[in-house]
């Protein structure tokens, strides 16, 4: 099948998958019925606001400019963030966050579907939130009906989110979702509390800790990488199989970057991605360090800050590198770079894509279809990535 025919096929399948199923329509009808019940809001003033953000690391990083803007607008507010466990480790470095609450959000394990006990979990969690008491809640994920339901059941008087089916019945204020970068989208919710900075003034920052920097210095010394030697990080893994590039291509790129810039190559990833990295390293002509599973979030950020650049597919790691102002080269496929490219100067944060016409399809999980029909990342050429790497490294 040629590219044009394949793109037509995939667009048709994606359109079908984006349609609401009967199960989703039934659920949204049930949610509308629940919203007819009295909200039982608490009227006491607490100066506490709850930000509900169930997503993975990259989404939380792209939320931090909104959190910082909110604290600047309303320094008297105590900002609490309800998130998953990995994001809690990220938020610990931000002084703007006064309290971190964690929850195993239904549907946000990597496996993905809403659990059968989602409504029971919402009731139990709402009781705990009522005991704390909040004046306002921001549901940061655009389609997160469960978070909107939770804020409603918790009796939070002001509930702000996006005007989407499943959410809007539970909101007191809503914003239309626009096709723009997630950083700007998140800031639009914060506008309910005051003006936000213009796009050109928005900085993405991750505060580093001295202990994490020292740990990385020691780790690199263990790999016999001297402090004065330049290094480039490659993070080949991602949370979705459709985002992965070919291992042999990463090996070619790693060898070329090491040769052209006399750089040490350091691979990063989760412990589960170590096997991918071992295979890439085995295909390389030069040596490389494998730090997969060996760093905390803070240490990974310190490593990226030490690097000349970070290369990889669309993932939270690329956003973390951008947050410590390290140039990035990011391979995009099913996700939309208009919404999710690393934030910053596009000359320093280069997006590389295939020219296949069905991308971005916004479908990350094609497990029910043969992977050979979804080559949007695998189709990216080695020369494309090397040109982008030379562009950010040469600068």
């Amino acid at each position: 099948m040629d590219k044009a025919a394949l793109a037509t096929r995939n667009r048709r399948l994606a359109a079908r998958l984006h349609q609401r199923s009967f199960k989703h329509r039934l659920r949204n009808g049930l949610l509308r019925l629940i919203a007819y019940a009295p909200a039982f809001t608490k009227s006491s003033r607490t100066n506490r606001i709850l930000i509900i953000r169930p997503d993975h690391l990259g989404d939380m990083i792209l939320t931090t400019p909104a959190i910082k803007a909110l604290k600047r607008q309303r320094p008297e507010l105590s900002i609490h963030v309800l998130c998953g466990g990995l994001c809690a480790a990220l938020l610990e470095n931000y002084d703007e966050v006064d309290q971190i609450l964690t929850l195993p959000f239904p549907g946000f394990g990597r496996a993905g579907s809403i659990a059968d006990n989602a409504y029971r979990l919402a009731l139990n969690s709402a009781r705990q939130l009522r005991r704390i008491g909040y004046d306002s809640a921001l549901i940061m994920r655009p389609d997160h009906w469960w978070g909107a339901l939770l804020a409603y059941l918790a009796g939070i008087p002001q509930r702000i989110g996006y005007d989407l089916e499943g959410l809007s019945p539970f909101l007191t204020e809503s914003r239309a979702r626009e096709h723009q970068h997630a950083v700007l989208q998140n800031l639009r919710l914060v506008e309910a509390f005051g003006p936000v900075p213009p796009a050109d003034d928005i900085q993405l920052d991750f505060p580093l800790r001295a202990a994490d920097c020292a740990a990385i210095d020691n780790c690199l010394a263990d790999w016999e990488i001297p402090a004065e030697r330049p290094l480039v990080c490659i993070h080949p893994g991602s949370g979705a199989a459709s985002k992965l590039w070919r291992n042999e291509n990463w090996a070619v790129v790693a060898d070329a970057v090491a040769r052209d810039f006399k750089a040490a190559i350091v691979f990063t990833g989760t412990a589960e991605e170590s096997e991918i990295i071992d295979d890439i390293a085995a295909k390389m002509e030069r040596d490389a360090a494998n730090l997969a599973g060996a760093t905390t979030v803070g240490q990974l950020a310190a490593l990226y800050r030490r690097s000349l650049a970070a290369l990889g597919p669309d993932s939270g790691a690329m956003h973390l590198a951008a947050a410590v102002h390290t140039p990035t080269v990011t391979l995009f496929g099913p996700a939309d770079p208009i919404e999710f490219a690393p934030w910053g100067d596009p000359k320093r944060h280069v997006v590389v894509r295939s020219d296949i016409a069905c991308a971005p399809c916004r479908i990350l999980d094609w497990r029910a279809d043969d992977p050979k029909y979804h080559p949007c990342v695998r189709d990216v050429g080695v020369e494309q990535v090397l040109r982008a790497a030379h562009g950010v490294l040469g600068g």
Side-chain angles (χ1 to χ4, degrees), residues 343-354:
W343 181 262
D345 182 351
K347 293 179 181 178
R348 286 174 52 82
H349 301 290
V350 179
V351 168
V352 184
R353 305 171 64 188
S354 163

Side-chain angles (χ1 to χ4, degrees), residues 366-389:
W366 284 104
R367 283 179 295 178
D369 201 25
D370 194 317
K372 72 181 181 182
Y373 294 124
H374 306 283
C376 51
V377 174
R378 296 192 308 278
D379 237 22
V380 171
V382 167
E383 287 303 318
Q384 284 179 267
V385 176
L386 282 176
R387 279 197 302 272

